[in-house]
Structures are given as structure tokens and as C-alpha cells.
Amino acid sequence: MSAKFQKKVEDFTCEHCGKEVNGNGFTNHCPSCLWSKHVDNNPGDRGAECQGMMQPIYCVQEKDLFILTSKCVVCGLEKRNRLTSQDNVDVAFEIVEKANRKLLGLDK
């Protein structure tokens, strides 16, 4: 862990889909819908004033990891986070498909 990382074990209710999420100190998004909230400047510090919802916009495989990119709907900040085995892979695939369709100009 970096010096800027602060482990916070917190449970929360997803503000996007309403799922109750049990945090483990590394949980940074809802495992059901993959949305998160812009609460940190550095992981775990809870110092962000924005508090906007972070929409999952893309997912990519890097070696043996799947990396989710989310974008704050309020300030536009983008953050990347690893997916875990608890995350809904079907939603991740839907995000990839939607992003690819947009890139190809298939979604208006």
C-alpha cells in the first residue's frame, strides 16, 4: 500500500442501485452495478468535496486483472479500479459493449 492509501472498512448502500454493500477496506464500488461515489482524493481519505456519483464507463483487461474506469458525473474526474471476483462481470461486459458501440458510432 502507498503512503497515501488509508484502509477504511465501511458498509454502504449503493446510491445508484440501492444494494447493501459490505465493505472490506478495499471496496470502492458497488459489486452489483459497478457505480461508485467520488468521496476520496487519495484512496480512503474521504476528503473529496465533490460527492458526485462515479459512472462506470469502460473496462479493460491488463494482464490477469480487469480494470474499471469510472467518471464522476459532477466534476468529470476519472479513476481506475480493479474488479474482483465479487463484481458482476455481466455488467462489466455491458459497459465494454456500450463503450465500443459509442466509439464505432453505432449509438446515437
Side-chain angles (χ1 to χ4, degrees), residues 40-107:
D40 295 334
N41 292 318
N42 293 303
D45 70 7
R46 304 302 184 256
E49 293 181 17
C50 178
Q51 302 295 302
M53 292 300 295
M54 301 283 290
Q55 179 180 11
I57 59 170
Y58 201 70
C59 186
V60 64
Q61 184 174 357
E62 294 180 1
K63 297 184 182 178
D64 61 341
L65 300 173
F66 287 93
I67 308 297
L68 177 71
T69 300
S70 297
K71 183 175 183 176
C72 181
V73 299
V74 174
C75 73
L77 176 78
E78 291 187 14
K79 288 196 173 188
R80 293 166 36 102
N81 297 293
R82 294 180 191 159
L83 293 183
T84 71
S85 61
Q86 288 79 37
D87 291 325
N88 187 333
V89 73
D90 291 333
V91 171
F93 290 144
E94 289 172 14
I95 292 165
V96 171
E97 182 178 358
K98 182 177 179 182
N100 286 339
R101 289 183 63 80
K102 185 175 181 180
L103 283 172
L104 294 171
L106 300 174
D107 283 345

Side-chain angles (χ1 to χ4, degrees), residues 13-19 30 33-36 53-56:
T13 302
C14 176
E15 291 183 29
H16 180 74
C17 73
K19 181 174 176 67
C30 173
C33 68
L34 306 182
W35 280 67
S36 58
M53 292 300 295
M54 301 283 290
Q55 179 180 11

Side-chain angles (χ1 to χ4, degrees), residues 1 5 7-9 23-29 81-82 84:
M1 275 186 264
F5 183 91
K7 185 175 179 181
K8 296 278 185 180
V9 179
N24 64 9
F26 301 100
T27 308
N28 53 25
H29 57 266
N81 297 293
R82 294 180 191 159
T84 71

